[in-house]
Amino acid sequence: MKVDLDDRKILQNAEKSLIIKFSKFCEENDLSYFLMGGSLLGAVRHQGFIPWDDDIDVGMPRPDYEKLQKLMSQQQNKIDDFPFTTFKNSTTTEYVARLENPQVKIVDRSASIAEQRNSWMDIFPLDGMPRSPFFRKIHGYNLLRLRLMLKYSEFDRVSVNMTERPWIEKVFIKLGKIVKPEKHLDTKKCLADLDRALQRFPYQRANYVVNFMGAYKLNEMFPKKVYQGFNFYDFENLKLRGTKFYDEVLTQMYGENYMEPPSAQIKNKHFTEVVKSNEK
């Protein structure tokens, strides 16, 4: 699906409104956050959005993530007119928290069933991992198993149209099409099981932490020093927080050539298009 850059600009402006409110809220409430994934890459490579990107990703140490949810519950789960949604305060089956902008709506065609929703920014928890390399690996496999069960429980919402995947994910998707696992799994239970497992090893005592619910899963695991302290990065005329160790992070996630643009399909990984905009 070809990327409409005019569409993207509408979407990115809506998401810029979200990050302005979110970053201000974090500063006012002493909450730590970091640009993550493609948003960090955009800050480094483009000083803003990657031109074809369709969302903003931030991460928060688990204690700050939990504090954020508590603060949101005290103000009707919204920042101004922007809803804050999690699987605990809404009907969403997304594990990751989102801040949404209802003024711009998109349709996502990555799954077998197209879905219309608000434009959004993702807020990921950064979770502790075991100190022992052996138990770190065992815990990682268990998290992968639980994430697979969650995805299987809502298989009709899995991004089956995304072809640039590891071979093992392609195998699981083909298997899911045959077995229809969503008929046998309870999504709420899968979410609760995953939530418990992610919080099993406290962030405060960990020497490695992971953004496990990001697209790169265990490949987004780093020494905790990566998220102790930050730099401000230029991002669409804003100053936003990101790790000081951007080269280490981006090289591990995207390879040594992370400053080069990716394939055409990666440019529209969510298969999204704007369908309604009330933005002025």
Side-chain angles (χ1 to χ4, degrees):
M1 181 177 176
K2 188 177 179 181
V3 179
D4 183 329
L5 293 182
D6 290 333
D7 244 22
R8 280 293 182 271
K9 201 62 185 174
I10 294 171
L11 187 55
Q12 290 168 356
N13 285 337
E15 291 159 355
K16 182 178 177 182
S17 298
L18 293 173
I19 194 65
I20 288 171
K21 294 292 185 181
F22 175 81
S23 59
K24 181 181 178 183
F25 184 88
C26 288
E27 290 165 8
E28 291 173 347
N29 291 279
D30 194 27
L31 296 171
S32 293
Y33 77 88
F34 300 85
L35 291 173
M36 304 293 287
S39 298
L40 177 61
L41 178 57
V44 171
R45 193 167 70 190
H46 303 274
Q47 292 74 56
F49 286 101
I50 297 173
W52 50 87
D53 206 1
D54 62 0
D55 67 347
I56 292 181
D57 296 334
V58 300
M60 305 181 77
R62 175 62 75 165
D64 294 276
Y65 186 83
E66 295 299 318
K67 181 181 176 182
L68 173 68
Q69 292 185 75
K70 184 176 180 180
L71 290 171
M72 287 290 103
S73 70
Q74 296 169 1
Q75 54 183 56
Q76 300 181 311
N77 287 306
K78 61 175 62 177
I79 300 178
D80 294 341
D81 294 326
F82 299 146
F84 173 81
T85 61
T86 73
F87 75 93
K88 295 179 180 180
N89 72 10
S90 70
T91 59
T92 184
T93 56
E94 296 286 346
Y95 179 83
V96 173
R98 284 181 166 176
L99 192 63
E100 301 180 0
N101 187 340
Q103 294 182 317
V104 174
K105 298 185 183 296
I106 61 98
V107 62
D108 182 345
R109 304 187 189 280
S110 61
S112 56
I113 299 175
E115 179 184 10
Q116 182 172 314
R117 61 172 180 261
N118 296 331
S119 51
W120 78 99
M121 61 174 285
D122 285 324
I123 306 166
F124 294 92
L126 299 171
D127 286 302
M129 294 291 283
R131 298 182 71 87
S132 159
F134 174 75
F135 287 109
R136 199 179 302 145
K137 183 163 288 191
I138 296 299
H139 182 57
Y141 284 136
N142 187 48
L143 292 179
L144 288 169
R145 177 186 67 84
L146 292 170
R147 178 166 168 156
L148 176 62
M149 292 301 101
L150 174 60
K151 292 298 183 182
Y152 267 169
S153 76
E154 48 173 6
F155 189 69
D156 59 353
R157 298 185 65 243
V158 170
S159 301
V160 295
N161 293 324
M162 180 65 192
T163 59
E164 292 202 13
R165 290 177 172 276
W167 68 267
I168 188 65
E169 291 187 10
K170 294 179 182 179
V171 170
F172 282 129
I173 286 174
K174 286 184 178 180
L175 183 62
K177 290 178 178 179
I178 297 169
V179 177
K180 307 293 183 184
E182 66 272 22
K183 296 180 179 179
H184 311 287
L185 294 168
D186 182 336
T187 300
K188 288 185 178 179
K189 183 179 183 304
C190 290
L191 282 164
D193 290 346
L194 180 59
D195 189 48
R196 280 192 298 272
L198 284 169
Q199 297 189 63
R200 181 177 176 186
F201 297 94
Y203 182 92
Q204 298 90 325
R205 297 202 295 269
N207 56 1
Y208 275 79
V209 298
V210 65
N211 174 23
F212 179 71
M213 295 310 293
Y216 290 81
K217 308 176 188 70
L218 295 173
N219 201 41
E220 216 168 334
M221 177 170 61
F222 296 97
K224 191 164 68 173
K225 69 171 187 179
V226 166
Y227 300 110
Q228 293 175 322
F230 59 87
N231 285 341
F232 280 106
Y233 290 84
D234 292 325
F235 192 97
E236 304 293 338
N237 301 315
L238 305 173
K239 294 288 187 182
L240 300 178
R241 297 181 184 187
T243 175
K244 293 184 289 187
F245 300 91
Y246 74 88
D247 186 63
E248 177 182 338
V249 169
L250 296 178
T251 298
Q252 180 169 309
M253 292 179 66
Y254 301 105
E256 293 181 355
N257 298 324
Y258 63 79
M259 294 299 283
E260 297 178 6
S263 72
Q265 183 161 95
I266 293 294
K267 289 181 179 181
N268 196 11
K269 62 181 180 179
H270 291 127
F271 289 75
T272 54
E273 60 182 296
V274 173
V275 293
K276 183 179 179 182
S277 174
N278 295 323
E279 288 270 287
K280 297 180 180 179

